[in-house]
Amino acid sequence: MHLGLEGRRAAVAAASSGLGLAAARALAAEGARVAICGRDRERLASAAEAVGGGAHPILADVGSPEGATAFVREAQDALGGVDILVTNAGGPPPGGFASTPVDAYGAALDLNLISVVAMCKAAVPAMRERRWGRVVAITSLSVRQPIGNLILSNTARAGATGFLKTLAREVAGDGVTVNSLLPGSHATDRLRELNDGDLDRVAAGVPAGEVGDPADFGAFVAFLCSVHARYVTGSAIPVDGGEYAALL
Ligand code: NAD
């Protein structure tokens, strides 16, 4: 299938490794011109090399509204505009209600909610003017099924999903789609950290019997950005090997 992404300009946040890097690689493989961000110059440079296609590395921390906005602005400057925005960030620290202090919520909301708002604020108006755009937000299966020891993530992602749904309907008539992908368990540093490196144990709890391959996840991002996905908007789609157990 031909995705029609040649020459499209994509900004992919938090792409030094993991799902962001996989998304950037998939978009570049389809001919998109890509800018990525991360917080560590060396890791970012090797990620840009791994993405290929002359990907632009942009040093930015999306954990503050200023950092998130600056990333998109620099990507627009480097690429001459942004047609595709993939919002992403690291996950907040684990913890439940009792172990998580009130003052931990602000940073988590900045990281996983306000960053999404800030990047969309910077990127979407020009997409609307050009009457073509794609926003894909990497969130979490916790949007559908909150995870016990990740109360900060559960709280922030719910807000981000409400924001994205509202935005999707507001801009749908301008050729801009806004969707989120909800990763279940994928083989990345984050999943290893949360599970003491034991991905076999995680896999045993997934109906598919394995953890997800970030490359497959990246390919799904690319499809959502394709010409064929133009009628898909406002969706929050689990990519989880069957982990989500409810009907809808
Ligand atoms: P990861 O931690 O393995 O990789 C995140 C990447 O983003 C790293 O390269 C990191 O350096 C970079 N990064 C982190 N914070 C950043 C910041 N503030 N600014 C710029 N770059 C930053 O995470 P991942 O597994 O690739 O997951 C991506 C997102 O999806 C995370 O928010 C995670 O919580 C969520 N998620 C992942 C899974 C999974 O199975 N991997 C499941 C559910 C949700």
Side-chain angles (χ1 to χ4, degrees):
M1 188 186 293
H2 182 232
L3 299 188
L5 291 173
E6 297 88 352
R8 291 288 182 195
R9 302 158 298 186
V12 184
S16 289
S17 63
L19 301 180
L21 175 59
R25 291 181 82 152
L27 288 164
E30 292 297 325
R33 294 171 52 225
V34 176
I36 62 172
C37 85
R39 296 162 301 172
D40 179 280
R41 194 178 295 280
E42 274 176 31
R43 292 183 68 223
L44 184 61
S46 51
E49 220 163 280
V51 171
H56 294 267
I58 295 172
L59 201 60
D61 182 341
V62 299
S64 73
E66 298 76 21
T69 303
F71 165 54
V72 175
R73 294 277 176 248
E74 285 188 43
Q76 286 166 329
D77 289 347
L79 301 172
V82 163
D83 308 301
I84 293 168
L85 170 67
V86 179
T87 70
N88 185 34
F97 169 72
S99 62
T100 305
V102 172
D103 60 14
Y105 284 78
L109 293 178
D110 276 349
L111 186 65
N112 294 123
L113 165 57
I114 305 300
S115 67
V116 178
V117 176
M119 286 187 263
C120 289
K121 275 282 190 189
V124 170
M127 293 178 183
R128 296 182 81 178
E129 275 169 28
R130 288 193 297 271
R131 303 194 72 74
W132 200 97
R134 299 282 186 268
V135 176
V136 179
I138 300 176
T139 63
S140 172
L141 191 58
S142 69
V143 166
R144 292 278 183 97
Q145 187 167 273
I147 301 166
N149 68 333
L150 290 177
I151 199 166
L152 290 173
S153 174
N154 299 340
T155 305
R157 316 268 191 200
T161 306
F163 166 79
L164 291 160
K165 183 72 173 179
T166 313
L167 173 64
R169 290 170 55 82
E170 193 170 323
V171 303
D174 299 325
V176 179
T177 69
V178 180
N179 294 289
S180 53
L181 287 183
L182 286 46
S185 301
H186 286 76
T188 68
D189 295 345
R190 166 82 173 168
L191 196 69
R192 287 185 196 93
E193 276 160 25
L194 289 174
N195 294 282
D196 302 321
D198 190 354
L199 294 194
D200 288 342
R201 188 173 50 80
V202 178
V206 179
E210 57 182 341
V211 296
D213 181 342
D216 292 340
F217 186 92
F220 202 155
V221 172
F223 176 74
L224 270 184
C225 296
S226 75
V227 289
H228 309 294
R230 71 193 174 102
Y231 203 57
V232 180
T233 196
S235 295
I237 304 168
V239 184
D240 69 347
E243 239 181 300
Y244 177 62
L247 283 181
L248 294 172

